[in-house]
Amino acid sequence: MAEITLNALAHSYADHPSKPEDYAIREMSHVWEQGGAFALLGPSGCGKSTLLNIISGLLKPSNGEVLFDGKRVNELKPEERNIAQVFQFPVVYDTMTVYDNLAFPLRNIGVPEHKVKSKVHEVAEILELSDQLKRKAKGLSADQKQKVSMGRGLVRDDVSAILFDEPLTVIDPQLKWKLRRKLKQIHEQFNITMVYVTHDQLEASTFADKIAVMYNGQIVQFGTPRELFEKPAHTFVGYFIGSPGMNFFEAQLDEQITFGEHVITTSDDMLARLKSMGSKKVTIGIRPEFVHVWDGKNDDAYQVEVDYVEDLGTYKILSFFFNGQLMKARLSEDQQVPSGQIYVSFPEQWTKVYVDEYLVDTDSLTLHSQTKDAQEAHNAN
Amino acid sequence: MQTKVENNKAWFLVMPVFLIVAFSAIIPLMTVVNYSVQDIFDPYTRYFVGTEWFKQVMLDSRLHEALLRQFIYSFTILAIEVPLGICVALMMPTKGRGASLALILVAIPLLIPWNVVGTIWQIFGRADIGLFGAFMAEIGVDYNYASNTTDAWLTVILMDVWHWTPLVALLCYSGLRAIPEVYYQAARIDQASRWAVFRHIQLPKLTNVLIIGVLLRFMDSFMIYTEPFVLTGGGPGSSTTFLSQSLVQQAIGQFDIGPAAAFSLVYFLIILLVCWVFYTTIMNMQKDK
Amino acid sequence: MSLTLQNVSRVVDGETWINEVNLSLEPGSFNVLLGRTLSGKTTLMRLMAGLDRPSKGKILMNGVDVTGVPVRDRNISMVYQQFINYPNLTVYENIASPLRLAKMSDSEIDRRVRETAEMLRIDPFLDRLPLQLSGGQQQRTAMARALVKDSQIILFDEPLVNLDYKLREELRQELRALFKARNCIAVYATTEPNEALALGGNTAVLHEGRLLQMGPTSQVYHQPKDIITAEMFSEPPINVVPGHVSNDEVTFDDTVHFRLNNDLRSLSPGNYQFGVRASHIGLVPHSDDDLELPVRVDLAEISGSETFLHVHNPHFDLVLHLSGVHEYQVDQNIKVYFPTHKLYAFDAQGQMVHSPARMREQ
């Protein structure tokens, strides 16, 4: 069991890094509490796997330190950190039975055989592998193999964290649901710190209590799935979380915020803050889920032109042109499908304003501390 | 697939293969079969003798001895070359310039012609001018491969190990390279010992290349001729006269074409049988896994 | 250009990989092959391409039997799950390679390569080697090579599996737009229901080598012919509850009763499997005839905008797909509302005998 702390951590694959782009991981400090479920979410090449390998000890960071329960572990090898890792492609010892696979980490540290037996049976029971114990691991299906590799972590009493590197990539959709559910139950039952790396926002958000969204080697936002969805701190978070992502458009800031002939309504606080920042250009973001589509004519709403509607089964996506900009709105399955000229409005609460890609937040007077760090790194470019 | 033939063009395409197989294998083999059942005095005088030569060959004590020698020899070099080859492969560097250098160094013995290998070791082992022989003499070991049976065996085996372990090593090296990095990572995290990594990750992934390696080395060593012929000439006495050499002695030295032909066929069948037994055993072991 | 498969089977070593498939693909259509791993998607595509021969049955192109014609003599392109490009050729030469084989003039090749590259937004990378590109760009290159030569059939074998979720979303949209303007047949294999829905067009559901259903995607989704199709074509998986219909009421597992409504009146008495989509069960009643069901919470999976609530009662498990964030503790007792007018009913053989009225209109 462990609390994981990243202290001024940075990593570069280059020998003599000089500029921020040389870093696969740009300087970051975070504390991940004991027993939490965390996800590292981002596109490929964002540095999430690098960060995971630094935590597991497969990679040594070039700057800063990693602490487990306050103890520096930079110098410890993976086998000395008491962590377990589940990889993208299932890793099982082909020639051994499922039982021997699960027993392997225990036998390696010389646990007496009767203890091995009870522990293996206990874990197999939880993972629903009890009737597979005598089979060779080679013949298992992909999802069972993933369970076995997870089980090799769970058998150890001393395991401080389980790390997952895109563990559901090779699993069929129907089984993904089952396995994800199992993961979540195990997390609740064992109270182990878990870190889950993925590019899939649904996997990340359903698994994790808190998600670190990574972009260009930085964590651009660290928050609950709900925070990421409702209040994306960076335009990238808005784009990457949500399906489809947030709608963005460039607006003009004068006395008011205008987009073509339309005025975007915001609070007076916001306007005052924006003016103090001195930027004339702002980016407006609104999630498709929060775009309000009116049934009939409405003078307070914007009149827009429908492009097309897609039926995605449980919901529909309406594409429309707002002052020439293609935008999307999410409609529920039962909602009327509009066509031609329709009326939409953006509720003030959900209309977010971004300057230089970062959210302008009027709820708290200063920017989030991590956002500020990232902002500085950004400005340094 | 059960689909009907639509034209006969395909037959012309496979014809060359048939012809090559016919000329390279079937016709020579049939010639040998023909010789093995006849007594030949000169190109025009020959008698059909049935299984006479086969009986003679099977009862010939010189051949029994050669066969026994051959088995001891083949199994000894396998017992040395396979584990040694694996060890060498495990120790070879995997990245950077060291990897290419190691590959070249290991491959060198394979590039030397058989008779040159024999010559190299013949000189190498001489007590007067050879490095190895002189060294043995220097440290007071009475070593002479030309007169001492044990020394002759030792030298012949050393020579084979030197010449052919690289082949096993290279096969294993390629097998090891094909193991994905995550397996090693998982093993480290599971706190597996070096031996456990070898036993449960590397060895299982090496089985296929090892089967090929063992089969190749068995067949090759079972037919060994040139190197011991150059080095010891089969001596002292007939202590290093292996099967192929005794076959040549019979066929060319004594011009006993008939018995030599019968001998060849028996020889051929033995290799086939041993390889088949070996292959099926391993395949069955694989299946159980 | 149409493609027809008549009673096509493929048997390998005594195992039936494709079983009596009948399929007709129209020119200009976008067709999704939906099926689990090993359901026969790739085998079927290989038969369409002419890489393998069917053990039985005929393949017709434009009504002409092409069963024995090898792939070289058919005008076909294929895009694979792995990013397959010539590593030693530049992106430009990779895209140009099928045209060079067709002995096209240099100026024509240049025009086409640039046009296709622009369409797939890889025109800035034409001089690079494939391995210098990101995964998404590599797959775009492979797609450009497939699209450049005006094939009559383009086969995609799970082309987006190895890409980021967000890139998939974008490429799916692009693909759909690309094929609107073309008159070739596109076949796209996937395991994911959401991908099939996002691609639109037609969907063919494949299970254990058999074609279960083929039709416009939205129709297959809303009107699955049988229970396997319904299960396979829904995410999260459709809830299935065994039930019994008598003259005037429906019973689930001997415990839950409700009066037979107008919607279900056509069902004759007997045993059925009732299917209900996760998004149709609510926490509040949506209509007067919704059935109140006391359940216990197993797990609440919360994404930022939605909640997947896993619950059970003594007889069956249910998954609810709710919009918004709903936090519940494990083992909490709650009530959910079961929409009795949004039920699918499947008979003992698993065939659909009833679908919700609203879905039938679509």
Side-chain angles (χ1 to χ4, degrees), chain A residues 43-44 172-174 177 180-181 184 188 199 201 205 229 239 242-243 310-311 313-314 328 330 333, chain C residues 36-37 164-166 169-170 173 176 191 221-222 232 235 279-280 298-299 301-303 305-306 330:
Chain A
S44 60
D172 271 2
Q174 281 82 7
W177 281 89
R180 217 168 62 199
R181 186 173 162 177
K184 196 84 188 145
E188 271 163 24
H199 61 82
Q201 51 130 358
S205 56
F229 185 77
Y239 153 82
S243 175
E310 328 167 43
D311 180 2
T314 48
K328 297 192 166 177
R330 185 160 157 156
E333 194 181 344
Chain C
R36 295 179 184 146
T37 310
D164 284 349
Y165 162 80
K166 213 54 193 186
E169 217 173 81
E170 288 171 15
Q173 282 219 335
R176 222 182 31 195
T191 57
Y221 178 81
H222 291 296
M232 202 139 53
E235 194 170 357
S279 56
H280 290 164
D298 287 328
L299 180 70
E301 288 186 299
I302 299 170
S303 85
S305 55
E306 299 170 309
V330 172

Side-chain angles (χ1 to χ4, degrees), chain A residues 91-261:
Chain A
V91 176
V92 293
Y93 303 103
D94 285 345
T95 49
M96 292 193 219
T97 60
V98 171
Y99 182 96
D100 290 337
N101 259 280
L102 294 175
F104 191 62
L106 297 178
R107 287 175 178 161
N108 284 335
I109 49 172
V111 173
E113 207 55 33
H114 66 273
K115 268 199 184 152
V116 170
K117 191 174 171 188
S118 66
K119 198 72 205 181
V120 167
H121 278 111
E122 182 193 323
V123 168
E125 187 68 33
I126 295 161
L127 291 170
E128 294 164 38
L129 285 170
S130 295
D131 46 350
Q132 310 283 339
L133 283 175
K134 291 203 178 88
R135 282 183 67 181
K136 288 275 182 200
K138 198 180 183 177
L140 297 178
S141 60
D143 60 308
Q144 286 171 325
K145 282 185 182 172
Q146 285 303 49
K147 285 203 236 171
V148 170
S149 34
M150 199 178 356
R152 289 205 310 269
L154 293 174
V155 288
R156 284 159 38 188
D157 290 324
D158 60 352
V159 70
S160 40
I162 304 187
L163 312 178
F164 297 90
D165 193 356
E166 311 206 2
L168 300 182
T169 308
V170 293
I171 314 288
D172 271 2
Q174 281 82 7
L175 292 169
K176 262 185 198 166
W177 281 89
K178 279 193 173 168
L179 204 55
R180 217 168 62 199
R181 186 173 162 177
K182 197 88 238 172
L183 269 180
K184 196 84 188 145
Q185 282 170 342
I186 284 169
H187 178 248
E188 271 163 24
Q189 200 169 343
F190 283 72
N191 195 32
I192 297 175
T193 313
M194 291 188 174
V195 182
Y196 189 110
V197 163
T198 179
H199 61 82
D200 186 323
Q201 51 130 358
L202 182 67
E203 271 177 40
S205 56
T206 50
F207 171 80
D209 309 329
K210 276 182 115 180
I211 300 176
V213 181
M214 290 193 70
Y215 178 56
N216 276 347
Q218 309 170 61
I219 293 181
V220 285
Q221 189 171 5
F222 183 50
T224 63
R226 188 173 190 164
E227 283 164 4
L228 300 185
F229 185 77
E230 294 180 353
K231 221 169 157 187
H234 186 278
T235 50
F236 179 78
V237 179
Y239 153 82
F240 204 75
I241 304 273
S243 175
M246 204 171 197
N247 296 300
F248 289 107
F249 54 88
E250 295 279 334
Q252 187 70 28
L253 174 70
D254 293 307
E255 281 314 299
Q256 287 174 306
I257 301 175
T258 52
F259 183 53
E261 67 213 31

Side-chain angles (χ1 to χ4, degrees), chain B residues 132-173:
Chain B
F132 182 64
F135 172 75
M136 295 300 264
E138 195 65 32
I139 61 168
V141 179
D142 182 18
Y143 164 83
N144 188 339
Y145 64 81
S147 62
N148 183 307
T149 309
T150 322
D151 292 350
W153 265 84
L154 184 77
T155 316
V156 172
I157 284 168
L158 261 177
M159 178 174 66
D160 199 278
V161 168
W162 176 80
H163 194 183
W164 290 111
T165 305
L167 178 76
V168 182
L170 289 181
L171 281 171
C172 291
Y173 184 74

